[in-house]
Amino acid sequence: MSTLHTVNKSSFTHNTLKSCIAICGNNDGILLLEDGVFGALQSAPDAEALITLNGKGVAIYASLEDIKARGLEHTIASHIQLTNYEEFVSLTLYHSCVQSWY
């Protein structure tokens, strides 16, 4: 059973993403939304942890709309997969559970 974890808080000001990373299992996914997309930056506090997690089979996504709204298009780490709203819906159907981190 895989879980899609959605995170909407910036990792520069909250520990939400760090807490999420701590419990992610293989084949889970993390979707960064709203201010959570700041966690997709190459300079984010949890950038190395996300790279390690990605290497263990956890897919990391970020909302393209939220990235654009914050002008972050050119600063996103290369292992982050950008997703639109339609793909977001597909991710919720692919994973058997959705866990929101707020």
Side-chain angles (χ1 to χ4, degrees):
M1 180 164 99
S2 66
T3 300
L4 177 65
H5 302 269
T6 62
V7 178
N8 78 333
K9 302 290 185 205
S10 170
S11 59
F12 287 95
T13 57
H14 294 84
N15 289 324
T16 310
L17 181 56
K18 184 182 295 299
S19 297
C20 172
I21 290 169
I23 69 153
C24 276
N26 293 344
N27 301 317
D28 281 358
I30 297 176
L31 175 59
L32 305 171
L33 304 165
E34 300 169 3
D35 282 345
V37 298
F38 286 104
L41 298 176
Q42 296 169 4
S43 61
D46 298 309
E48 289 298 319
L50 286 178
I51 291 170
T52 300
L53 207 55
N54 189 242
K56 294 180 179 179
V58 175
I60 315 296
Y61 306 94
S63 165
L64 178 59
E65 288 81 2
D66 292 328
I67 293 287
K68 286 182 177 180
R70 289 156 181 81
L72 302 175
E73 298 96 302
H74 303 291
T75 57
I76 302 303
S78 61
H79 66 281
I80 304 292
Q81 300 176 54
L82 299 180
T83 184
N84 61 31
Y85 288 125
E86 185 176 301
E87 293 164 332
F88 175 15
V89 172
S90 294
L91 288 172
T92 66
L93 296 173
Y94 174 77
H95 294 279
S96 54
C97 180
V98 178
Q99 171 67 50
S100 299
W101 295 82
Y102 292 99

